[in-house]
Amino acid sequence: MFTGIVEELGTVVAIEDRGSDARLRVHGALVTSDAHLGDSIAVDGVCLTVSELPGDGTFAADVMPESLRRTALGGLVPGARVNLERALAVGGRYGGHVVQGHVDGVGAILRRDPGERWDEVEIAVPPPLARYVAEKGSIAVSGVSLTVTHVGDESFGVSLIPTTLEHTTLGGLVVGSPVNLEVDVLAKYAERLLTAVAR
């Protein structure tokens, strides 16, 4: 489990296309400092399992077809920056919200309105996910825990504080940039339970 509090901006070293799947290699000195084979690291909000640790500050992870279909990882290129977060340790601070690293779909930046020290950003949401997005609720955008400021029929807004702009990839995204979206898992479970009761 993750909290959506990005620990480090990593850099994609290589991405190997294996046909239906891929192997991703990322440099992240902090997240690899205490990593072990089999550990989970969220890369732009996608929970990946460490499969190689050569000891040079990089790690490799295999990206399965489901992850390539549901996320923007397949579009990464060497040199791209990515948000990195290690799995939450027992007893660790819980600063964001419940983030599983199970991305639900890909959105896109629709608009950026710079403020005095922050940006207001509008993000397109795939129609099947829109019902899970609520004003003042939580959403993970490329692995960053954010509070929804408003909701439209096909989009939602967030406010990016200076720390987010400086320490995550969201600060450099432009209109049209894809973003991984993970809606609040509590909303999905609530819907599932209500659907079961109604049957």
Side-chain angles (χ1 to χ4, degrees):
M1 187 180 75
F2 306 92
T3 70
I5 304 300
V6 172
E7 296 185 279
E8 179 177 22
L9 269 174
T11 303
V12 174
V13 175
I15 183 161
E16 179 187 348
D17 184 351
R18 295 179 165 187
S20 61
D21 65 327
R23 172 159 283 201
L24 182 65
R25 187 173 301 280
V26 177
H27 183 270
L30 175 62
V31 298
T32 58
S33 63
D34 60 353
H36 300 88
L37 293 177
D39 282 357
S40 295
I41 295 176
V43 178
D44 270 359
V46 183
C47 178
L48 297 178
T49 300
V50 174
S51 58
E52 285 182 17
L53 272 172
D56 58 357
T58 69
F59 69 95
D62 296 313
V63 185
M64 295 295 95
E66 171 72 1
S67 296
L68 292 174
R69 280 193 301 269
R70 293 269 192 142
T71 76
L73 290 187
L76 293 174
V77 295
R81 304 305 301 275
V82 287
N83 298 318
L84 300 177
E85 181 189 355
R86 291 170 289 190
L88 179 65
V90 174
R93 292 187 182 276
Y94 194 76
H97 73 282
V98 176
V99 177
Q100 296 181 299
H102 303 164
V103 169
D104 295 296
V106 177
I109 305 296
L110 291 178
R111 191 179 74 250
R112 292 192 78 115
D113 297 323
E116 188 177 350
R117 289 177 298 277
W118 65 89
D119 281 7
E120 301 286 346
V121 179
E122 190 78 14
I123 300 174
V125 60
L129 300 182
R131 67 181 181 270
Y132 301 113
V133 183
E135 186 173 331
K136 300 305 177 185
S138 297
I139 192 165
V141 178
S142 290
V144 183
S145 175
L146 297 172
T147 300
V148 176
T149 58
H150 66 270
V151 178
D153 292 337
E154 299 177 340
S155 66
F156 64 92
V158 293
S159 296
L160 305 183
I161 63 173
T163 299
T164 303
L165 293 171
E166 183 178 353
H167 296 292
T168 78
T169 61
L170 302 188
L173 298 184
V174 299
V175 171
S177 295
V179 288
N180 293 322
L181 300 177
E182 181 185 331
V183 299
D184 193 337
V185 66
L186 300 179
K188 291 190 287 186
Y189 276 119
E191 180 187 60
R192 178 70 174 163
L193 288 170
L194 290 171
T195 301
V197 168
R199 288 179 180 168

